[in-house]
Amino acid sequence: MHKQTVQYLFGGIFSLVIAMSIGRFSFTVILPYMQDTFAFSHATAGFLATSNYLGYLVGALVAGRLQIGGKRIPFLQISLVISILTTAMMGFTDAVIAWYVLRFISGVMSALIFVVAASLVLDQLAGNGKAHLSGLFYSGVGAGIALSAVIVSPIHAMFDWNGTWIALALFSVVLLVFIVLFIKPVTQHPQQKQSQTIASQKVPPTTWMKWLILGYSLEGLGYIVTGTFIVSIAEESTSFHGDATFVWFVVGIAAIPSCIVWSTLAQRYGYVRTLLISMLIQGLGIVLPAFATNTMTLYISAFIFGATFMGITTVATTLARQIFPVNSHKILGYLTAGYALGQMLGPSLAGALTNYTNSYQYALFGATAVVVIGALCLIGGLKYEKVKVGELATQVNLSK
């Protein structure tokens, strides 16, 4: 593989660790410690998460309208710096209103970084005939989640909840140095552009994109309930035995290879089909704790969740980029905006419902139903993959 492609891949992975694993999802594992210290309600926890996801929605909408052209790299670097600063500042204040602002800004930066980094890396991979390695890029989120789950507990033991935020920010600074060294401007060759055009002919037409956006938006609404509260569910369960943060570690470990697995399956069996199946499997993982919150059930739920949520993102964004191979950051921005809208609403609705019923059960049932409906929205896209298989069979017969 070309050296620059490898560097882009690792630079992209590190960008996702900073923006997604630390900037967004570290809140999930630090949340129980903050609740223990300040005794705020589930509703407040949900609103804090929603503040971050509102920012993510705004960032995604902005990303979809960006006219940055050849300035994607400096834009990415600036966004990463701001993201790191918001993570650090979480540890320097105990004012809830400040947390809302910081989580909002962090969300904006997470979306911008995700969209721009994805467009840079996916364009580089596709241009060098390595589009199948997109799963490696997205595995950065799982690796970061697993790492945060391992280091957060001992850091918290030494420096409390606020020192944990600051330590994660310092770790992000180290990663930023490598990102600056790895992701540098590259000139695209004509043959690279041709390979992208060919790839775009093997997927559903642009008119089907609305169904992908709708299904992916519902995925955002459903998955985030588990993504926000699974550690708290374990923490509050009397039948769970062990460190609740280990549940998040299981999520991260399962997420690391998931992107590669799902992207490989998508290439073999079709992107729409793979996306639909992965969402149905995720629905099963989400609903399990609604029936029992013992140790085994929560670990299985965490594993299924980790094995699907980033895999779904990998397949959906790769499919979107293949449908719209030109100016990919724009369509990725709109796709991510729908996802962000769903996950903005999810924590608040789930938190309020949990407060009202004094149980996570109904929130989990609702989240599962939403994800399943999202999967069903994709059914119409299966016919395009059948056409592809038919064309392939025709080509084989002609070659004979």
Side-chain angles (χ1 to χ4, degrees), residues 208-221:
W208 184 80
M209 190 66 199
K210 61 181 180 292
W211 291 106
L212 177 60
I213 293 177
L214 178 58
Y216 193 56
S217 300
L218 291 173
E219 157 68 11
L221 175 60

Side-chain angles (χ1 to χ4, degrees), residues 238-285:
T238 57
S239 56
F240 178 82
H241 303 290
D243 187 350
T245 59
F246 191 74
V247 173
W248 198 238
F249 175 75
V250 172
V251 171
I253 289 297
I256 293 174
S258 69
C259 302
I260 301 171
V261 171
W262 287 113
S263 60
T264 301
L265 291 173
Q267 292 174 66
R268 182 167 184 176
Y269 299 107
Y271 281 83
V272 178
R273 182 178 290 101
T274 302
L275 187 58
L276 191 156
I277 292 173
S278 61
M279 289 175 66
L280 292 177
I281 293 174
Q282 184 186 81
L284 174 63

Side-chain angles (χ1 to χ4, degrees), residues 37-206:
T37 302
F38 299 101
F40 52 80
S41 67
H42 293 306
T44 298
F47 291 141
L48 279 169
T50 294
S51 178
N52 182 256
Y53 304 141
L54 174 60
Y56 196 79
L57 171 61
V58 172
L61 290 172
V62 170
R65 302 178 66 87
L66 284 176
Q67 302 293 333
I68 51 178
K71 299 180 181 178
R72 285 186 294 176
I73 293 176
F75 187 89
L76 173 65
Q77 294 171 351
I78 293 171
S79 299
L80 285 165
V81 170
I82 298 174
S83 177
I84 293 171
L85 288 175
T86 60
T87 298
M89 289 302 297
M90 284 292 294
F92 286 104
T93 179
D94 57 5
V96 175
I97 187 66
W99 289 343
Y100 282 128
V101 174
L102 290 170
R103 295 307 293 158
F104 174 81
I105 298 174
S106 176
V108 174
M109 293 303 109
S110 292
L112 293 176
I113 293 166
F114 176 81
V115 171
V116 175
S119 68
L120 282 166
V121 176
L122 294 181
D123 286 355
Q124 177 70 10
L125 290 175
N128 287 274
K130 302 294 182 181
H132 60 284
L133 296 179
S134 60
L136 284 174
F137 164 62
Y138 289 109
S139 67
V141 177
I145 287 175
L147 180 63
S148 66
V150 170
I151 65 177
V152 162
S153 185
I155 292 176
H156 172 265
M158 292 185 290
F159 303 110
D160 211 350
W161 67 271
N162 50 347
T164 304
W165 284 109
I166 296 170
L168 291 175
L170 292 174
F171 175 69
S172 298
V173 171
V174 176
L175 295 181
L176 178 60
V177 173
F178 287 100
I179 294 168
V180 173
L181 293 174
F182 288 165
I183 300 183
K184 297 178 180 179
V186 59
T187 301
Q188 190 180 58
H189 299 293
Q191 62 268 29
Q192 295 176 335
K193 295 181 180 180
Q194 182 182 5
S195 65
Q196 293 181 25
T197 303
I198 293 172
S200 68
Q201 297 172 352
K202 300 178 181 178
V203 292
T206 56

Side-chain angles (χ1 to χ4, degrees), residues 15-39:
S15 297
L16 291 188
V17 171
I18 293 174
M20 307 294 287
S21 305
I22 294 176
R24 290 186 61 211
F25 290 118
S26 62
F27 176 77
T28 300
V29 70
I30 301 176
L31 175 60
Y33 297 131
M34 296 175 70
Q35 284 186 293
D36 287 343
T37 302
F38 299 101

